[in-house]
Amino acid sequence: MHEAEVLDERDYFSSIRLWGPVPASIKTRAWLENFKPKERQHAVALLNSFVYLNSEVTDKLFVSAFSGLAQMVSKDAGTYADKKLEWNEFRRGVLITHPTGETPNATDSGFLFDRKARQLLDINEDHIMLPEEVLTTLLLRGPRPVVFVDDFAGSGDQFTKTWNRSYSLSTGDVVSFSQLSAAGQLGSTYYAPSICTSYAAERIRECAPRLILQAAHILSPRYGASDEHTLLFPPHLRADALQVISDASRRAGIMAHQILGYHDLGLALAFEHSVPDAALPIFWMSTANWTPLLRRR
């Protein structure tokens, strides 16, 4: 793995729009200059492993995750025509929502994926709702299919908190998705993030055992920097990898407990619209002493 080859490859990714424009969006060479000579091989390995998903790729992943539900929805149908009919009926009746924080913000990526559900999946706009609106609809009209859409599930925290959160509804009820699920009032429920870690998948399944999780891609622990057999570094660099990340993070002004990102997942991943909290902060940290590979939005 030679530095010049990796840089040329990243430039090519930019030229075909797989990455964003260089150097306006992704500063490969400037980022590598953050590292000391003895750290350079590790930095090049990280750059080589870094996955940047532009809007076009993200859209395809989103559609793939949702379309993957078709096989589950129509598994009991006999003929192809019956399967198609059942899938179309599902799409006409499904309610779409997304996991949220305690206080939903207009800049949350979930709202972006709600719009994608309308634009790319042709879901009726009246069926795209906030979580509390979904709960209200279910209580007033009875069970119907629900799909949570999202770009990324790293730790699973946002989904599990949304699932267990008690919402005060306009009907006067105070209820959560977990309560309705336990009572059999939820109907078939799905979570379709574009990308999900196996760590998040396990936590979500424990929290919501009746939920069906369908992601376009599930990342194994090996996609994290801290895994003994991490794919971010070749075998001969793995032994010193965490020390290099730690040293570089300290120079960048990153706190010791944050060097591997949220829940210590240590991913090398970013979307055009956002950089997940689970990504290594040395990719996005911007200080007087540290030039980011790309900036967080």
Side-chain angles (χ1 to χ4, degrees), residues 163-164 175-187 189 207-211:
W163 185 257
N164 290 320
V175 70
S176 68
F177 283 97
S178 61
Q179 289 172 326
L180 286 191
S181 179
Q185 295 177 272
L186 196 54
T189 311
C207 171
R210 296 183 182 181
L211 177 91

Side-chain angles (χ1 to χ4, degrees), residues 148-167:
F148 290 83
V149 295
D150 211 350
D151 55 351
F152 178 70
S155 68
D157 273 1
Q158 194 167 58
F159 179 85
T160 58
K161 289 178 180 178
T162 299
W163 185 257
N164 290 320
R165 183 179 299 129
S166 292
Y167 291 91

Side-chain angles (χ1 to χ4, degrees), residues 2-139:
H2 297 289
E3 181 175 324
E5 293 176 354
V6 172
L7 289 171
D8 287 345
E9 183 182 72
R10 303 301 111 167
D11 286 343
Y12 174 69
F13 284 172
S14 296
S15 71
I16 63 173
R17 292 288 300 158
L18 187 58
W19 280 39
V22 172
S25 179
I26 298 178
K27 301 179 179 179
T28 53
R29 289 169 174 80
W31 183 74
L32 286 177
E33 290 302 318
N34 292 312
F35 295 88
K36 296 180 178 180
K38 65 179 181 179
E39 302 169 337
R40 198 77 168 201
Q41 275 191 302
H42 288 82
V44 171
L46 277 176
L47 180 60
N48 189 51
S49 300
F50 183 75
V51 175
Y52 175 81
L53 303 169
N54 67 18
S55 58
E56 292 84 0
V57 173
T58 300
D59 286 350
K60 290 178 180 178
L61 289 171
F62 172 70
V63 172
S64 175
F66 186 85
S67 299
L69 298 174
Q71 185 175 358
M72 304 174 195
V73 169
S74 62
K75 60 182 174 60
D76 295 327
T79 66
Y80 172 77
D82 289 339
K83 289 180 181 293
K84 186 175 181 180
L85 178 63
E86 194 158 339
W87 175 237
N88 286 336
E89 289 178 351
F90 173 87
R91 292 177 68 255
R92 283 193 292 270
V94 68
L95 302 180
I96 300 292
T97 190
H98 65 272
T100 68
E102 288 290 342
T103 304
N105 189 298
T107 61
D108 290 344
S109 61
F111 289 102
L112 170 64
F113 281 75
D114 284 349
R115 290 195 297 274
K116 289 181 185 295
R118 175 174 55 82
Q119 296 165 351
L120 302 177
L121 305 177
D122 197 27
I123 299 295
N124 188 320
E125 190 167 5
D126 292 339
H127 291 188
I128 302 172
M129 306 176 174
L130 290 172
E132 56 266 37
E133 295 172 333
V134 169
L135 290 169
T136 300
T137 300
L138 295 174
L139 286 176

Side-chain angles (χ1 to χ4, degrees), residues 208-271:
R210 296 183 182 181
L211 177 91
I212 297 174
L213 175 66
Q214 168 62 36
H217 288 289
I218 293 185
L219 304 180
S220 78
R222 295 190 67 190
Y223 286 90
S226 62
D227 189 80
E228 180 182 2
H229 304 292
T230 178
L231 297 173
L232 303 189
F233 299 95
H236 71 282
L237 294 180
R238 288 173 186 164
D240 301 326
L242 289 181
Q243 188 60 55
V244 170
I245 291 173
S246 179
D247 292 344
S249 297
R250 186 176 62 253
R251 295 198 307 274
I254 300 165
M255 302 294 289
H257 67 282
Q258 297 175 328
I259 65 171
L260 291 175
Y262 196 55
H263 278 243
D264 291 337
L265 288 168
L267 301 179
L269 171 74
F271 296 86

